Amino acid sequence: MEYSFDIALVVETFPILMRGFVVTLELWLPSLAIGLAAGFLLALARLSGSRLLRGGSLVYIELFRDTPVLIQLIWFYYAFPIIIGVQLSPFAAALLGLALNTSAYGAEIFRGGIQSIARGQWEGAKALGMRQADVLRRIVLPQVFKLMLPAFTNRAVEVAKMSSLASVLSVHELMYQGRLLSSTYYRPFEILTTVAVVYFVLIYPATFLSMTLERRMAGKG
């Protein structure tokens, strides 16, 4: 029996999927921004002269990099409230888990970029009387930011894909809506194919940007 693709069902359910798409954006963009900002602070801790800061940041980074993201999201929803005494909403738990996971990877991106600058530039700037914060802001970061852009876009792509794991916590994002609709209408092919296409449209521009930046960097190298 030949299968007939029900385009009318796609049209009918598309507004619901778009509501899930909006939630995906609300989860993706803040977790990426918060994660990268926290990652920068973690990178500074990793490079500081304090053994306590270096050790603490290293433990944090490895903890989030070496455990599954799904476990982290579930932990923040079910286990973290036991510690803080407040039950987080599914959205808040997912956002917190994704942001902290992103911060660990972002810290390593920043650390690698900062360490790529020759030590002589730091020493020369300090010889001119510049404070370390000024050296970082005026000399180091402007040089390494372009080099880090491909890694940042790759991380953005990964966070967008990881946001689908929030469906396990019943966050009403795109994947959750797709699973709900496919079980409601018993037409998983139409629904989940549409979900995959929406994810592709969301993620491919960042992937293309990353590939373009990497080619340009390689050409300049």
Side-chain angles (χ1 to χ4, degrees):
M1 183 177 178
E2 186 177 348
Y3 188 87
S4 177
F5 189 91
D6 191 352
I7 189 66
L9 178 63
V10 173
V11 173
E12 179 185 347
T13 58
F14 196 71
I16 300 175
L17 292 178
M18 286 299 96
R19 289 202 293 270
F21 175 75
V22 171
V23 177
T24 293
L25 289 179
E26 292 172 346
L27 191 61
W28 174 37
L29 297 178
S31 62
L32 180 64
I34 295 169
L36 291 181
F40 178 68
L41 298 178
L42 279 169
L44 296 183
R46 285 277 283 118
L47 298 171
S48 74
S50 168
R51 181 177 297 179
L52 181 61
L53 285 177
R54 290 200 310 271
S57 59
L58 178 60
V59 170
Y60 174 98
I61 290 168
E62 293 305 320
L63 179 64
F64 280 97
R65 292 178 67 198
D66 299 334
T67 55
V69 180
L70 181 57
I71 295 296
Q72 294 169 20
L73 299 189
I74 293 173
W75 189 89
F76 277 110
Y77 184 63
Y78 290 104
F80 191 53
I82 298 174
I83 299 175
I84 63 175
V86 177
Q87 179 60 55
L88 299 177
S89 69
F91 183 89
L95 178 61
L96 181 60
L98 290 174
L100 296 184
N101 180 273
T102 301
S103 70
Y105 284 92
E108 291 301 280
I109 296 172
F110 278 113
R111 184 178 67 86
I114 292 171
Q115 288 185 323
S116 68
I117 297 299
R119 192 66 192 172
Q121 294 194 40
W122 289 88
E123 294 172 353
K126 289 179 180 179
L128 295 175
M130 295 180 66
R131 296 178 302 175
Q132 186 166 349
D134 293 328
V135 178
L136 189 65
R137 178 174 57 87
R138 299 176 61 180
I139 297 177
V140 175
L141 289 181
Q143 293 184 70
V144 301
F145 185 72
K146 291 182 179 180
L147 298 176
M148 294 187 294
L149 271 178
F152 285 143
T153 52
N154 277 329
R155 181 68 351 217
V157 167
E158 291 302 314
V159 176
K161 291 189 287 188
M162 288 190 302
S163 68
S164 64
L165 297 175
S167 63
V168 175
L169 303 182
S170 297
V171 177
H172 291 194
E173 45 76 63
L174 179 58
M175 189 63 206
Y176 177 88
Q177 299 289 16
R179 290 168 56 191
L180 183 63
L181 289 170
S182 64
S183 62
T184 299
Y185 289 95
Y186 298 101
R187 304 285 290 192
F189 183 74
E190 288 87 342
I191 301 297
L192 296 181
T193 299
T194 305
V195 168
V197 170
V198 174
Y199 271 116
F200 179 83
V201 172
L202 171 66
I203 293 172
Y204 181 73
T207 303
F208 180 78
L209 175 61
S210 177
M211 292 188 297
T212 302
L213 290 170
E214 287 176 359
R215 284 197 298 268
R216 289 185 177 180
M217 296 302 169
K220 290 180 180 180

